[in-house]
Amino acid sequence: MLGENHLLSNEFPQYSDLIQSLKANDSDFNSKARRYHELDHKIRGLEVNKVPTTDEHFSALKIERAELKDHIYHALKAHAG
């Protein structure tokens, strides 16, 4: 779906409190969450505004976002117990 918002709180609503805690207390998690947000914002901007870009560039952004989402999910699972 074009322009869909992939905020971490939307992707992992069951971990919303943990996400906020880790952002405040874990610099590695915060760095990954920030990069994820930047990528999501950029991808949505390209989709919504129909900004011309190569398929390779667009795919690379989406792959990086997916990889970060996976790392973030595993960190959340590890901290949740």
Side-chain angles (χ1 to χ4, degrees):
M1 191 177 218
L2 292 180
E4 187 174 334
N5 192 329
H6 290 273
L7 287 174
L8 290 175
S9 58
N10 291 349
E11 296 294 310
F12 307 115
Q14 70 277 29
Y15 295 120
S16 60
D17 291 338
L18 182 56
I19 289 168
Q20 293 309 313
S21 176
L22 289 173
K23 282 172 140 182
N25 299 305
D26 184 321
S27 61
D28 184 52
F29 184 90
N30 186 43
S31 175
K32 287 178 178 156
R34 259 184 215 260
R35 180 63 182 153
Y36 179 89
H37 174 73
E38 289 170 4
L39 288 166
D40 187 51
H41 182 74
K42 187 170 192 165
I43 290 165
R44 277 188 290 129
L46 290 171
E47 290 172 337
V48 171
N49 298 315
K50 298 183 179 163
V51 175
T53 187
T54 64
D55 288 341
E56 292 82 14
H57 178 250
F58 192 67
S59 291
L61 293 173
K62 290 181 97 172
I63 289 168
E64 184 180 354
R65 181 180 65 183
E67 289 172 347
L68 275 171
K69 182 179 173 183
D70 188 52
H71 288 291
I72 289 167
Y73 174 72
H74 288 290
L76 291 169
K77 291 281 287 182
H79 284 88

